[in-house]
Amino acid sequence: MSAVSRLSSSLRAVPESLVPGWIQDAVPAVEASLPPDAAVLYVTDDPNTWRCGLWQRALLPRAVFCLRPGEKSRRELARIRREFPLRFAVGSAEPPSDLVIVRRRAVSPRIWVGEIGP
Amino acid sequence: MSLLLAFAAALFVAAGFASLAETILCRRSTDVFGWNESFVIGASGGAAVLFPLSLVAPTKALDLVALAVSLSAVAIPWRIARSFRRPPGPGASPPLRLPLALTLSIVPGVLLFTVLCLRTAFAWDAFQIWGTKALLLFRDGGLRPELWPGSLYEGRSGRTVNYPALLPLFEALAARVRGRFDFMDLKPIFPIFFLSLLLSVVRGVRAAASSRALCLSAILVMGFVPVATSRPVLGGNADLPLAACAAALAAAWLAPNPRAGRWNSATPWLLGSLLAAKSEGLILFGAALAAGAIVSAGRLSRAKVRSHAAGAAVALALLAGRIGYLRWTAIQDRTIDPPSDQSLARALVRIPEVARLCGSELMRFREWGFLWPAFLLLALAAVARAPGRGRVVALAALLGTAAYSAIFLQTSWPVRLHVNQAYSRLLFQILPVAVIAMVCGYESLRADRPGETEEGAPAPPDKPGLAGAERQSASDPAPFSAAPGEPRAPIAR
């Protein structure tokens, strides 16, 4: 009986969503802040690239490029901007010093949206 | 409730795949093994046809497959009722019945796998590649050659484009039936593949083994080998579907097959299924063909080649479809360096390192026990002494293992990192065939002992063994005389 009980509780405890609630909650506000189909830069200090993948999929079909401020961020940003005319950024971390964000506003306790300056 | 609906949707699609294959290949399976074989053929055939459909109906290809699969699934009760109404042929097994001991050995393994699968987070590829390809397929309605939105180069996400479509198709169809796409709803698909894998191993081992105890031992090894509960297998990668396809091919190859060589024989479709599940399937495809060619070298008559032309054409058409898809997407996989003087010279230097790393992986007790050393000994015995069909299975497993090890000679990654990350997943794809090959090897050694069954000796009607399968294909004067849909030998269907 205890095996059955453990099996039953295991099944009941199955996670219901792959995308964490704080991302799901922020997505509608982020979408409302951006023009349709505009590509965005996602600024994060999270070393886990998995989470970047969650944002890319949550905002599909919008193209999402992930940028982690650091030594390589200037070169990475230049490479992305050569290929895509990026105008908007979403972030959960402070942007690197050479990335100017204007009209920045918070859409959730952890997420901000803004326009990339010249 | 959400989980139950996800299970129902996955089972509906799986049943639809099986029923579709039954219809198209004019099959009338009467037992669970035949239906399982039809499931693998239907799923991989659906994946193969998705590419040409995407060319002619770019946004409706998925819906067209969904329509065919749904109609086929709805027709299943009628099919089952018809199989019950038909008088059973001599020696035919009761419909959908599996011996109690085998059922008891399979069910706990599948239950354990299901719980662990539901509780395990997605593996990287399962989410970033396979699930994402399914998401794109669900949204776009067909396969497209474009990279993932935002990809600037062929990277992890870009590779979603040229990866085969079996798993993403199954996932996208289940989402279509469910009415929404949610990554968590994809999980119930994997216990279905695990069940399919175990059923194929049961069938293959029953065709090769002369004792039920040996059969049960093989199932327990396959169902409870530690690597089957590792994250890459539980987490939704395509290694499990490819292993299920390879197992189904080995089982079909060993079982008696009155349709051998025909276009609607299971074997060429299952050979092609290797190409539909994962890119490495091409290596297994080559290993299977090479093993068949080596074993039958010098024994092929012109009449035999002609009689197998239709089956060969099916396998070649599936291969052409895969190559056409790769050319359409035009993605260069950077994981493996293209051949050049420099890369070949580097490969020669790497041989000792790759051999050492792969050898230590094969001997990793916590994942495999003593499985691979035992496989090496028994597969070599099978190659030396087993009847032709068992020899082909053992040689294919050996060639596949060797080829998978050789991949690392040409990797663009650091060798140790790549071996650590990929080798056990590659070995898992071969594992079911290796288990069947081990049984073939054991039987070939046993057949030489006094008092044991000799090769070619009459097998009991409910357990023909490998000798029975051999006899049916090798000495039957009119092996293709059975009408389409005619019931087959009990173990085969």
Side-chain angles (χ1 to χ4, degrees), chain B residues 314-466:
Chain B
V314 169
L316 288 175
L318 294 169
L319 176 63
R322 174 67 185 149
I323 292 171
Y325 180 64
L326 288 174
R327 292 184 69 87
W328 185 57
T329 56
I331 300 291
Q332 289 287 325
D333 192 338
R334 295 180 184 176
T335 310
I336 304 299
D337 285 333
S340 67
D341 290 347
Q342 194 183 6
S343 69
L344 289 175
R346 196 183 55 186
L348 287 175
V349 173
R350 279 178 172 175
I351 288 175
E353 184 186 11
V354 169
R356 182 172 48 79
L357 291 170
C358 291
S360 69
E361 191 71 36
L362 288 166
M363 298 293 286
R364 196 184 291 267
F365 184 79
R366 285 180 63 181
E367 283 196 14
W368 303 104
F370 294 114
L371 194 143
W372 291 109
F375 161 72
L376 185 64
L377 294 174
L378 290 171
L380 287 174
V383 169
R385 308 159 80 121
R389 285 178 176 253
R391 192 177 300 159
V392 171
V393 170
L395 188 56
L398 284 169
L399 290 175
T401 309
Y404 272 175
S405 307
I407 287 176
F408 303 108
L409 297 174
Q410 288 289 95
T411 180
S412 60
W413 289 27
V415 177
R416 178 182 290 274
L417 176 69
H418 202 180
V419 171
N420 285 345
Q421 293 218 346
Y423 196 48
S424 67
R425 290 160 50 187
L426 295 174
L427 291 175
F428 181 78
Q429 298 165 12
I430 300 178
L431 180 62
V433 185
V435 169
I436 296 171
M438 287 164 71
V439 171
C440 293
Y442 181 79
E443 285 294 326
S444 71
L445 293 173
R446 210 163 154 256
D448 286 350
R449 295 210 316 247
E452 301 287 355
T453 307
E454 294 288 333
E455 180 187 333
D462 63 333
K463 184 170 283 305
L466 194 54

Side-chain angles (χ1 to χ4, degrees), chain A residues 7 10-11 13-18 49-50 53-54 56-57 60-61 63 65 79-80 83-84, chain B residues 3 115 118-119 122-124 127-128 132 135-136 139 148-150 152-153 157 182-184 231:
Chain A
L7 183 66
S10 281
L11 287 170
V14 169
E16 289 183 356
S17 174
L18 186 72
T49 47
W50 176 276
L54 294 176
Q56 287 176 324
R57 281 143 190 85
L60 189 75
F65 299 93
R79 189 175 70 88
I80 294 171
E83 301 285 335
F84 270 79
Chain B
L3 189 62
V115 173
L118 293 174
R119 294 297 305 271
F122 273 95
W124 179 279
F127 169 58
Q128 306 271 5
T132 296
L135 172 62
L136 292 174
R139 292 184 65 109
W148 167 259
L152 294 180
Y153 56 93
S157 299
D182 188 311
F183 285 100
M184 294 309 293
R231 191 171 174 209

Side-chain angles (χ1 to χ4, degrees), chain B residues 17 20 24 39-56 61 65 133 137 143 163-170 173 245 268-278 314-326 328:
Chain B
F17 278 141
L20 189 60
I24 291 176
F39 158 65
V40 178
I41 293 172
S44 56
V49 85
L50 189 64
F51 168 47
L53 276 180
S54 297
L55 294 177
V56 296
V65 178
K133 191 174 174 97
L137 187 56
L143 297 170
Y163 275 34
L166 189 157
L167 180 57
L169 173 67
F170 197 160
L173 284 176
C245 292
W269 292 92
L270 292 170
L271 190 59
S273 76
L274 300 173
L275 306 169
K278 218 173 170 220
V314 169
L316 288 175
L318 294 169
L319 176 63
R322 174 67 185 149
I323 292 171
Y325 180 64
L326 288 174
W328 185 57

